[in-house]
Amino acid sequence: MRTGKATATAMAIALAVVLLCIAPRRVRSASDNRLIVGMTLVRNASAIGALCLDGSLPAYHLHRGFGAGEHNWLLQFEGGGWCNDIPSCLERANTRRGSTRYMTKYEVFSGILSNNASLNPDFYNWNRVKLRYCDGASFAGDAKFDNGTSLLYFRGQRIWRAIIHDLLPKGLGRAQKALLSGCSAGGLASFLHCDNFAEYLPRNASVKCLSDAGFFLDERDISLNHTMRSFYDDLVSLQGVEKNLDKNCTSSLVYPAMCFFPQYTLKYITTPFFILNSAYDVYQFHHILVPSSADVHGHWNRCKLDPAACTDSQLEILQGFRNDMLATLRMFYQYSGRGGLFINSCFAHCQSELQETWLAVDSPKVNNKTISEAVGDWYYSRRVSKEIDCPYPCDKTCHNLIPVSGLPQVHLTEEI
């Protein structure tokens, strides 16, 4: 049963709101040593039709590596939801999620993007790049809408290619080590582009990929409807995504659009991969498992605001969602020798870009290992790194649970 367009639009807007954490002009955090990096527009992108939804040029933020990391590269896909119909995409085109005209020209680099050795010991001196997200299909679409009145460019795949070609002569083409990463919709983009990324780099380079909060499940909601499957089906059709999905995956399924779900394409990825996700990912909890269309009377409202307020029956459903996620990942963590995993039980969404969750004195841990340590151990092959948390509420390191509004507060004292 397909959900209505209003629900689909609400889902897209909700995830975009979850990821809004930077003020539009001047940013100053409570930590005075935050790294702030300026935007680079891809000036020649229009030559290949690589344009944001509104026709503006795509962009990225690059902070150069140094020392031993001078020839190593970390690319981080920005997240921010999707749009799957013309009204929601037109709305998105007039925001920072669909146009570089509305984006902040500076981004705070923290967590995995930090240049502080004590806060990001394994990647601090790499070339670190944040790819801005302005297409609405996880950098995977290739289509155009023009009815004579409205014009939309669904060109995520071309944006991905344009940014890569802009970075190759800047040193990416000579990379010795590389990591393709992303958060949320950007984490999904990591699955979609991982093997293609490796094809651009030298054969002797160590190339790996990481998805943070991008393992969106093909799961029925509490009303037994496939809300997310319907949403993705519309998205893939509208934005011309199918031709850019993994060919091995699309040829193996009756419905090729389902290859937009990581669980179906993961087995075809040959590049080493790390999956960082919460078993109770708040976006999936609120919009896949319990979307508003499945909870019209708001019985889950208190539970969504505070897991401690969930009833026994609601907790049982949440534990079932966790079990389904682990069952879907079982082949990956049991048999993938080059794969890494960190599945914790915090009610979170995106944990690699925030210093508080990536690496801090009180950051989340599984088996006494932080996310930063787990990812570093996996990338550098120091030790096996497949960490799976016990079920909620056993993890006592999850004292800062993510509220319904999204990410923990970044305290801003002044606008930039």
Side-chain angles (χ1 to χ4, degrees):
M1 178 177 177
R2 299 173 79 82
T3 58
K5 297 298 184 185
T7 299
T9 301
M11 290 173 61
I13 293 172
L15 186 51
V17 170
V18 163
L19 295 172
L20 289 171
C21 59
I22 303 295
R25 292 290 294 170
R26 180 171 179 77
V27 179
R28 180 170 309 220
S29 71
S31 307
D32 291 334
N33 60 351
R34 293 261 181 164
L35 174 63
I36 300 174
V37 181
M39 173 186 284
T40 299
L41 289 173
V42 185
R43 298 291 179 183
N44 61 350
S46 58
I48 62 168
L51 302 170
C52 298
L53 283 173
D54 71 332
S56 58
L57 292 174
Y60 59 85
H61 301 252
L62 165 63
H63 191 258
R64 285 289 187 177
F66 56 92
E70 181 181 1
H71 300 293
N72 302 335
W73 288 77
L74 189 156
L75 274 61
Q76 176 86 353
F77 284 116
E78 183 180 28
W82 313 270
C83 62
N84 73 331
D85 58 28
I86 296 302
S88 63
C89 290
L90 284 172
E91 181 178 359
R92 186 182 181 96
N94 290 307
T95 72
R96 64 188 290 262
R97 295 302 180 194
S99 172
T100 50
R101 296 186 181 101
Y102 301 107
M103 289 180 182
T104 174
K105 301 306 183 285
Y106 300 91
E107 281 286 289
V108 175
F109 275 28
S110 63
I112 196 171
L113 295 174
S114 173
N115 67 335
N116 186 319
S118 64
L119 301 177
N120 187 27
D122 288 309
F123 307 106
Y124 74 97
N125 60 354
W126 286 31
N127 296 281
R128 285 149 292 109
V129 188
K130 186 164 189 176
L131 285 65
R132 299 308 297 268
Y133 182 34
C134 65
D135 64 276
S138 290
F139 295 82
D142 192 0
K144 181 179 175 181
F145 172 80
D146 186 357
N147 66 357
T149 302
S150 300
L151 177 61
L152 289 168
Y153 295 91
F154 302 121
R155 296 289 173 77
Q157 183 75 18
R158 300 190 196 195
I159 290 172
W160 156 248
R161 192 163 70 245
I163 292 177
I164 289 294
H165 282 284
D166 204 60
L167 292 172
L168 287 173
K170 295 182 178 180
L172 178 62
R174 303 183 300 278
Q176 296 175 357
K177 295 182 174 65
L179 177 63
L180 181 67
S181 182
C183 154
S184 192
L188 175 55
S190 292
F191 285 103
L192 300 178
H193 295 293
C194 182
D195 282 344
N196 180 242
F197 178 59
E199 291 173 1
Y200 283 109
L201 303 183
R203 289 184 177 273
N204 61 349
S206 173
V207 184
K208 301 185 180 184
C209 303
L210 161 68
S211 171
D212 176 7
F215 196 75
F216 297 97
L217 284 182
D218 179 23
E219 185 88 349
R220 291 182 184 271
D221 64 31
I222 57 172
S223 294
L224 303 182
N225 293 320
H226 280 291
T227 299
M228 202 63 179
R229 184 187 295 183
S230 175
F231 182 89
Y232 277 171
D233 185 49
D234 289 344
L235 182 155
V236 168
S237 176
L238 174 69
Q239 298 212 31
V241 172
E242 183 178 325
K243 59 180 172 288
N244 296 319
L245 297 175
D246 186 281
K247 300 299 186 292
N248 292 315
C249 180
T250 56
S251 64
S252 69
L253 296 177
V254 175
Y255 302 106
M258 291 176 65
C259 293
F260 202 68
F261 282 102
Q263 68 197 73
Y264 300 117
T265 196
L266 177 60
K267 66 180 178 180
Y268 300 106
I269 298 174
T270 59
T271 306
F273 211 101
F274 191 100
I275 298 175
L276 163 61
N277 230 93
S278 167
Y280 309 97
D281 180 280
V282 289
Y283 179 79
Q284 299 197 56
F285 172 19
H286 294 185
H287 300 287
I288 296 180
L289 182 62
V290 192
S292 57
S293 60
D295 185 35
V296 293
H297 299 296
H299 296 308
W300 282 77
N301 287 351
R302 293 183 66 240
C303 179
K304 284 182 174 182
L305 287 169
D306 179 9
C310 297
T311 65
D312 289 343
S313 61
Q314 289 170 335
L315 283 176
E316 185 176 352
I317 291 171
L318 283 169
Q319 303 300 10
F321 184 85
R322 172 184 179 272
N323 291 339
D324 289 347
M325 180 177 288
L326 295 182
T328 302
L329 287 168
R330 183 168 293 119
M331 291 293 291
F332 178 75
Y333 66 76
Q334 287 185 343
Y335 300 108
S336 176
R338 297 185 300 167
L341 199 69
F342 192 100
I343 306 295
N344 63 7
S345 294
C346 305
F347 282 74
H349 184 71
C350 289
Q351 301 178 83
S352 63
E353 296 177 344
L354 291 171
Q355 198 60 57
E356 294 85 346
T357 47
W358 174 250
L359 180 61
V361 174
D362 57 352
S363 57
K365 295 182 179 180
V366 177
N367 297 324
N368 204 35
K369 184 179 290 188
T370 65
I371 295 170
S372 173
E373 291 168 335
V375 173
D377 284 347
W378 162 78
Y379 186 90
Y380 286 98
S381 302
R382 291 190 290 247
R383 56 186 65 88
V384 174
S385 192
K386 297 182 180 180
E387 312 298 338
I388 299 177
D389 211 352
C390 49
Y392 172 83
C394 74
D395 189 340
K396 304 307 178 186
T397 69
C398 291
H399 55 282
N400 289 324
L401 299 180
I402 310 300
V404 69
S405 59
L407 301 174
Q409 292 290 328
V410 177
H411 299 291
L412 306 175
T413 59
E414 185 178 348
E415 291 189 357
I416 281 188

